[in-house]
Amino acid sequence: MKNKVFLITGGTSGIGLACAIYLEKQQCNVIITGRNQKTLETALQQLGSNATGFVSDTSKLTAIDQLVFNVKEKFQKIDGMFINAGIFKAASFEETTESVFDETMNINFKGAFFTIQKFIPLLRNPSSIVLNTSIVVFKAFANTSVYTASKAALEGIAKVLNVELAPKGIRINVVSPGVTQSPIQKKSGMTDAAIDDLLKHFSETAPIGRIVQPTDIAPIVSFLLSEHSWVLRNEKIIIDGGTTL
Ligand SMILES: NC(=O)c1ccc[n+]([C@@H]2O[C@H](COP(=O)([O-])OP(=O)(O)OC[C@H]3O[C@@H](n4cnc5c(N)ncnc54)[C@H](OP(=O)(O)O)[C@@H]3O)[C@@H](O)[C@H]2O)c1
């Protein structure tokens, strides 16, 4: 992994930041993105000199073009990407507005789709892409309908891309985290009490006896980005401490 270059979208907090910290410890160069300059700077303070950050809103195609330009200028080529940027807004199916629908699909699916497409010329042969989906794709959770659709759509393209992009040496695998303690819960619109209940429930019912942390996910993403997983294509690793067993 030494000197490899990996892009992590949404690397300024939670799972993305934990992965950036882990990969940098493996002597990789990491590029992180997020929408907010201040958050980006705070994240970069937790990383070392092998980390680079760019403000880039993945839901905007012009911003993805600019990101490709910036990454090409600094690194020319990259060895892989963790497609991780995502949001979750809790809303019942009946109360999901067009604006929540569009925002969720634009970030979680459309942004991921065009980030992969636009980075193809920069991806080395071989390279690895890891998609961050969720257990919601196969287990129903109330108040997650559009989030579930966005993650199912993302997971759905993995197999197609594995066929189309294989001649370029690009392979795609998926991590499917369970409820993981991160800032996403607070940003979702859930009350503090609801978040406490959620984390307590999953801590008490998970076979591992605690909630999944972003640091649990980082080594698994690192494995999927590394040459050790070369033979894996369209593999999905469920990282939920056994909650969906
Ligand atoms: N935590 C969980 O329980 C869980 C479970 C399964 C899957 N996941 C998935 O894991 C991924 C990371 O979530 P997390 O839990 O680590 O949450 P988080 O701490 O809120 O991190 C989300 C990251 O995505 C970035 N982001 C959001 N919208 C963006 C946009 N339009 N453009 C660029 N970056 C954007 C955020 O930065 P800014 O807000 O500053 O832009 C932040 O860096 C998400 O895709 C989420 O769906 C999480």
Side-chain angles (χ1 to χ4, degrees):
M1 295 292 266
K2 194 174 176 185
N3 297 330
K4 300 259 189 214
V5 183
F6 295 114
L7 170 70
I8 301 173
T9 65
T12 58
S13 72
I15 297 168
L17 179 57
C19 289
I21 292 169
Y22 187 91
L23 287 169
E24 214 196 10
K25 283 195 183 132
Q26 317 302 306
Q27 297 179 291
C28 302
N29 295 290
V30 290
I31 307 155
I32 60 168
T33 70
R35 290 167 296 183
N36 182 288
Q37 180 70 40
K38 205 167 174 331
T39 319
L40 184 70
E41 280 166 17
T42 306
L44 286 170
Q45 281 162 13
Q46 297 175 63
L47 291 156
S49 56
N50 288 336
T52 307
F54 295 109
V55 170
S56 180
D57 182 342
T58 201
S59 67
K60 299 198 165 53
L61 269 61
T62 51
I64 303 174
D65 288 332
Q66 185 63 48
L67 180 65
V68 172
F69 178 86
N70 291 339
V71 171
K72 188 176 180 189
E73 197 174 52
K74 178 146 189 189
F75 296 99
Q76 290 84 53
K77 293 276 180 183
I78 62 173
D79 298 279
M81 303 194 283
F82 181 35
I83 300 294
N84 167 75
I87 59 159
F88 165 58
K89 301 285 176 201
S92 72
F93 177 70
E94 288 173 287
E95 287 171 353
T96 297
T97 60
E98 184 181 12
S99 125
V100 166
F101 183 100
D102 288 345
E103 187 185 7
T104 305
M105 293 305 281
N106 286 345
I107 295 174
N108 295 6
F109 180 56
K110 183 180 162 194
F113 186 104
F114 285 103
T115 300
I116 297 169
Q117 185 195 74
K118 288 171 182 291
F119 268 96
I120 289 171
L122 268 61
L123 285 163
R124 279 206 182 87
N125 185 350
S127 60
S128 170
I129 298 174
V130 179
L131 309 179
N132 194 351
T133 67
S134 167
I135 57 169
V136 299
V137 174
F138 61 90
K139 181 170 169 54
F141 288 87
N143 303 325
T144 71
S145 56
V146 69
Y147 178 74
T148 296
S150 72
K151 294 297 187 180
L154 182 58
E155 213 168 285
I157 63 167
K159 57 183 179 297
V160 181
L161 302 193
N162 270 301
V163 172
E164 286 193 27
L165 304 182
K168 295 181 190 294
I170 301 168
R171 64 197 176 89
I172 298 95
N173 291 289
V174 173
V175 288
S176 179
V179 174
T180 304
Q181 190 167 15
S182 84
I184 205 171
Q185 284 96 25
K186 187 83 179 162
K187 296 176 195 169
S188 73
M190 292 169 72
T191 63
D192 288 348
I195 295 170
D196 287 347
D197 282 351
L198 178 83
L199 298 181
K200 188 165 177 284
H201 171 77
F202 280 95
S203 302
E204 288 173 358
T205 55
I208 57 165
R210 63 168 176 80
I211 199 79
V212 175
Q213 295 293 335
T215 46
D216 294 316
I217 295 170
I220 297 159
V221 171
S222 172
F223 165 68
L224 289 175
L225 288 172
S226 79
E227 61 206 19
H228 298 299
S229 59
W230 171 244
V231 77
L232 299 183
R233 310 285 158 125
N234 204 44
E235 189 55 73
K236 174 162 81 174
I237 301 186
I238 298 164
I239 314 171
D240 70 346
T243 49
T244 53
L245 289 175

